[in-house]
């Protein structure tokens, strides 16, 4: 099996969006809107300004795994003096290719992107399955995360 890794470009964007929607479905999200236009708008804008980067894994022309990281800034704090934070998302793998080290390789690519951007920390909300990958990579679980839905 020959797997190629590359940074996501606009020519793979529609397939990437399909993978993102498959990920959300697999995570049990309720589909009450067509999310494609909002995803397309987000990725186009943030890929262009450099605040979203994705690496993908391909077998031939088929995307088998995705990763993504969005860069945000907030006031510096002791745990992150740069104030630059990477928000990891879109870590998704076609079921036939899981448990082969592909996700870990993609994760290493986006972590390096965060390092280059100057991030002081990377955050993710992980599924139970994904949490094992992130903890193995060195992520530390933080039980203080809270969310308020508007």
């Amino acid at each position: 099996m020959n797997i190629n890794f590359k940074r996501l470009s606009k020519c793979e964007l529609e397939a990437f969006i399909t993978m993102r929607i498959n990920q959300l479905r697999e995570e049990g999200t309720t589909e009450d809107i067509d999310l494609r236009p909002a995803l397309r708008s987000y990725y186009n804008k943030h890929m262009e300004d450099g605040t979203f980067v994705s690496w993908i894994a391909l077998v031939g022309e088929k995307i088998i795994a995705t990763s993504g990281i969005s860069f945000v800034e907030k006031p510096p704090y002791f745990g992150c003096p740069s104030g630059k934070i990477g928000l990891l998302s879109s870590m998704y793998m076609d079921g036939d290719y899981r448990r082969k080290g592909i996700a870990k390789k993609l994760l290493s690519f986006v972590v390096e992107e965060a390092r280059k951007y100057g991030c002081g920390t990377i955050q993710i909300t992980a599924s139970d399955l994904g949490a094992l990958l992130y903890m193995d990579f060195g992520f530390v679980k933080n039980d203080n995360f809270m969310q308020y839905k508007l």
Side-chain angles (χ1 to χ4, degrees):
M1 171 173 54
N2 190 17
I3 299 171
N4 294 309
F5 296 91
K6 71 175 289 248
R7 194 169 165 161
L8 178 69
S9 67
K10 290 199 179 187
C11 66
E12 298 101 8
L13 190 55
E14 289 306 312
F16 180 85
I17 289 170
T18 297
M19 294 283 284
R20 176 66 175 156
I21 289 170
N22 289 342
Q23 175 189 11
L24 295 171
R25 287 176 179 152
E26 193 173 294
E27 291 172 352
T29 305
T30 303
E31 274 185 70
D32 52 359
I33 61 166
D34 178 9
L35 200 53
R36 284 182 179 279
L39 287 170
R40 193 175 296 112
S41 175
Y42 177 87
Y43 293 132
N44 277 319
K45 175 183 178 187
H46 293 283
M47 284 172 67
E48 188 171 310
D49 72 12
T51 57
F52 177 80
V53 176
S54 169
W55 279 79
I56 56 176
L58 301 105
V59 171
E61 297 293 316
K62 180 185 178 195
I63 298 175
I64 60 158
T66 62
S67 68
I69 194 159
S70 299
F71 302 123
V72 298
E73 291 188 48
K74 61 189 249 182
Y77 57 98
F78 290 115
C80 183
S82 72
K84 295 178 179 180
I85 298 170
L87 302 176
L88 199 56
S89 66
S90 306
M91 293 293 297
Y92 184 69
M93 176 83 48
D94 181 301
D96 294 336
Y97 297 92
R98 291 183 179 156
R99 312 290 308 157
K100 297 183 186 321
I102 300 166
K104 189 172 186 177
K105 182 87 167 167
L106 287 174
L107 183 57
S108 69
F109 285 128
V110 291
V111 165
E112 184 55 32
E113 294 286 351
R115 190 172 281 114
K116 286 190 240 175
Y117 192 81
C119 291
T121 190
I122 297 173
Q123 299 174 352
I124 187 169
T125 303
S127 67
D128 291 341
L129 183 63
L132 299 173
L133 166 71
Y134 306 121
M135 287 188 289
D136 183 51
F137 198 88
F139 282 69
V140 177
K141 195 168 185 153
N142 180 346
D143 293 327
N144 293 330
F145 179 79
M146 298 175 74
Q147 178 173 297
Y148 182 79
K149 187 166 172 77
L150 297 175

